[in-house]
Amino acid sequence: MIKYLLSFLFLFSATSHGQNKTPDYFRVNQGALPVKVYYGTKPRNMSLLGIDGSKGIIYAKLEGAGQLQLELRGLKKQNISRFEFAWPKDTIQALELLSNEQYDPRILPALRPVIYRVMLFLEIPQEFFLIHDACLTYVQALVAMEQFDEAFYVLSRINLTKLDEFGYREFSEEALNLAGKMISADAKSAKSARALLQKVSIRDNTGDHASYLKLADSLRAQGLYTDAISEYARLAPIVMKSPGSPHREILRIWPIYCYVKLYEQYSRAAAKDKRYQAYASKYFNTALQTIKKIDEKPPPRQSGEYSLYKLVRALIRVQYARRYEAQGDEFKAADEYRQSVLEVTEGIISARVGLDWLPETLMMAGDAYEKLKLFEAAGNVYKQVEMFYKSTKWESLSKKRLAQLPAG
């Protein structure tokens, strides 16, 4: 008896996030859920005890008839038209506040005893049990209020794929939203966020592609390049099947950027410990091999992705320049810096101010100008960055570089 009552509660225990901080709300609030079951049009009192989605069984106790098992996929054949749950008035009022975006974490403790008991039965299709909207409101509120631990707890346990089938894709969208916010708030949460991402199916439409790409980009922005590469790799085969997808080109280029950045990290480490040299070489060679494929068919010049392509080529040029500097070959180093300026300049011509990678491209151009002792040109670039990217890290970095330029 206890086994099927608790089967749902332990289903995803291995994926718990922040389990030392987050109570096991499903277990704390477990218990029979009183409902009306309609056999045809005639209602009878019933207690829902648990559900085993893998077996397709609802465990219940019918008043006056004892315990029974209902076939989840055969409710109509069992002459069941629906279940009805009488929501407590205070729960309804609290959910109405949340649905109107009147968020207050103090609402949550009073909601949990009911909402968690109800959420155990989300695998019952909404045509038989109208609970999904209320549960979605609760989950959306958790994410909006940045109750990340609890939101992760819920979304890592409910069956997102099944809810997609029911037409409640919003639960998966909240999982994507949550993962992005977790990564942005704390890079250390990336492992947990990526575990949640694996539960989200990526459909073949541009909306899903854009949402998932945003998640991968957030990993890259946090400097989590290996994680970003893995997520780009998951998304790319799906996108490449869509000939008209606007994300095809960018998914070819961002992984190369990440490989170059990993090379930078490992080459710095290798300067202190030669054991890292093999990793540095591996990432640089991967970047070179991959960029050669794109060189054969680069993005159109008028596209924004062309400027990213040129940024990556410039990054590679800079790595060569640094190698020559380390070897004492100033002539070859200067030539590579000049080539990097040509690369980024060509990219900047086709770029728009709002592109994610443009400020880094401009800063790279300024740095290369400094290496070539073209300080006036470098200063002009830094001033552009300061003007167009106010209140960002790029503004403060450009001010710092301007202050360090030689006088006159």
Side-chain angles (χ1 to χ4, degrees):
M1 196 74 63
I2 297 297
K3 181 179 179 181
Y4 64 72
L5 277 170
L6 300 181
S7 61
F8 179 89
L9 306 182
F10 296 105
L11 186 57
F12 298 107
S13 59
T15 64
S16 180
H17 168 67
Q19 57 187 349
N20 293 328
K21 298 184 293 183
T22 308
D24 191 345
Y25 290 117
F26 281 115
R27 177 186 289 191
V28 170
N29 299 294
Q30 66 179 294
L33 186 70
V35 298
K36 295 281 187 183
V37 59
Y38 283 77
Y39 286 99
T41 58
K42 184 180 179 181
R44 294 186 63 180
N45 292 326
M46 175 180 279
S47 294
L48 297 179
L49 305 177
I51 187 169
D52 188 332
S54 62
K55 294 181 179 178
I57 296 173
I58 303 170
Y59 300 98
K61 183 177 182 181
L62 186 63
E63 186 177 61
Q67 296 175 0
L68 67 159
Q69 297 180 11
L70 304 174
E71 293 183 14
L72 180 59
R73 299 171 186 85
L75 293 173
K76 285 185 179 178
K77 293 180 181 179
Q78 297 164 89
N79 200 32
I80 294 175
S81 59
R82 68 185 187 277
F83 302 99
E84 284 186 0
F85 172 64
W87 292 89
K89 288 184 179 180
D90 57 347
T91 301
I92 293 173
Q93 292 171 351
L95 287 170
E96 285 179 351
L97 288 173
L98 297 180
S99 66
N100 291 323
E101 298 184 4
Q102 297 182 43
Y103 298 130
D104 187 339
R106 291 174 296 181
I107 294 174
L108 301 180
L111 269 173
R112 289 183 185 119
V114 176
I115 203 74
Y116 278 98
R117 197 169 299 182
V118 170
M119 278 196 289
L120 286 171
F121 300 96
L122 279 171
E123 289 192 48
I124 300 176
Q126 71 274 20
E127 64 179 296
F128 294 102
F129 203 16
L130 296 175
I131 59 172
H132 300 73
D133 287 333
C135 295
L136 177 61
T137 294
Y138 185 79
V139 171
Q140 289 173 329
L142 290 176
V143 178
M145 291 188 286
E146 299 187 352
Q147 303 292 308
F148 295 154
D149 284 335
E150 185 175 352
F152 182 93
Y153 171 86
V154 174
L155 288 166
S156 64
R157 284 161 173 74
I158 60 179
N159 191 330
L160 296 175
T161 302
K162 182 62 65 177
L163 290 165
D164 284 357
E165 293 174 9
F166 293 165
Y168 278 88
R169 177 66 181 181
E170 294 91 340
F171 284 97
S172 289
E173 290 171 357
E174 283 305 314
L176 291 172
N177 187 20
L178 171 64
K181 288 188 173 185
M182 287 170 60
I183 294 165
S184 297
D186 182 3
K188 293 179 181 178
S189 68
K191 184 176 181 180
S192 297
R194 288 191 61 208
L196 179 59
L197 291 179
Q198 302 313 304
K199 288 174 56 61
V200 178
S201 60
I202 309 173
R203 300 171 301 179
D204 188 14
N205 66 56
T206 54
D208 275 20
H209 299 171
S211 296
Y212 207 89
L213 179 60
K214 185 178 179 181
L215 260 296
D217 287 344
S218 67
L219 289 164
R220 172 183 49 75
Q222 287 279 36
L224 302 169
Y225 301 117
T226 303
D227 294 317
I229 289 168
S230 296
E231 299 308 329
Y232 288 134
R234 182 186 178 197
L235 178 59
I238 300 169
V239 169
M240 297 309 168
K241 293 177 183 177
S242 302
S245 173
H247 309 299
R248 289 168 62 89
E249 292 292 350
I250 209 161
L251 277 167
R252 291 201 300 156
I253 304 170
W254 273 134
I256 309 173
Y257 173 94
C258 293
Y259 285 126
V260 176
K261 291 297 182 179
L262 284 168
Y263 166 74
E264 289 180 352
Q265 291 178 351
Y266 278 95
S267 60
R268 284 195 296 268
K272 300 177 181 178
D273 187 337
K274 295 300 181 184
R275 289 177 296 179
Y276 292 103
Q277 187 59 52
Y279 295 100
S281 298
K282 173 186 141 185
Y283 287 123
F284 194 63
N285 290 335
T286 303
L288 291 178
Q289 291 166 13
T290 316
I291 198 70
K292 284 179 182 178
K293 294 179 182 178
I294 297 183
D295 289 340
E296 295 172 3
K297 189 179 178 182
R301 284 180 174 270
Q302 67 274 19
S303 68
E305 290 78 7
Y306 185 77
S307 60
L308 177 60
Y309 163 64
K310 284 296 182 177
L311 167 62
V312 172
R313 285 186 55 84
L315 280 169
I316 292 172
R317 292 279 191 186
V318 168
Q319 306 314 315
Y320 278 121
R322 289 173 179 169
R323 285 185 176 185
Y324 288 130
E325 280 181 327
Q327 295 167 9
D329 193 332
E330 294 297 329
F331 178 80
K332 286 186 178 180
D335 183 60
E336 289 295 342
Y337 280 124
R338 277 192 291 270
Q339 293 299 324
S340 73
V341 169
L342 292 175
E343 297 276 12
V344 294
T345 301
E346 191 177 356
I348 289 168
I349 291 172
S350 65
R352 306 186 308 273
V353 172
L355 291 174
D356 184 20
W357 53 88
L358 185 55
E360 181 176 355
T361 304
L362 291 167
M363 294 301 296
M364 174 174 287
D367 183 66
Y369 281 132
E370 285 193 62
K371 296 289 186 182
L372 297 170
K373 302 189 184 307
L374 300 172
F375 300 120
E376 184 178 353
N380 289 334
V381 171
Y382 296 145
K383 287 174 184 176
Q384 288 183 52
V385 175
E386 183 183 0
M387 178 173 63
F388 286 114
Y389 298 98
K390 292 189 179 299
S391 303
T392 69
K393 68 176 183 179
W394 303 110
E395 181 190 20
S396 58
L397 182 57
S398 62
K399 285 182 176 179
K400 181 179 178 181
R401 298 290 277 274
L402 275 168
Q404 293 172 346
L405 287 176

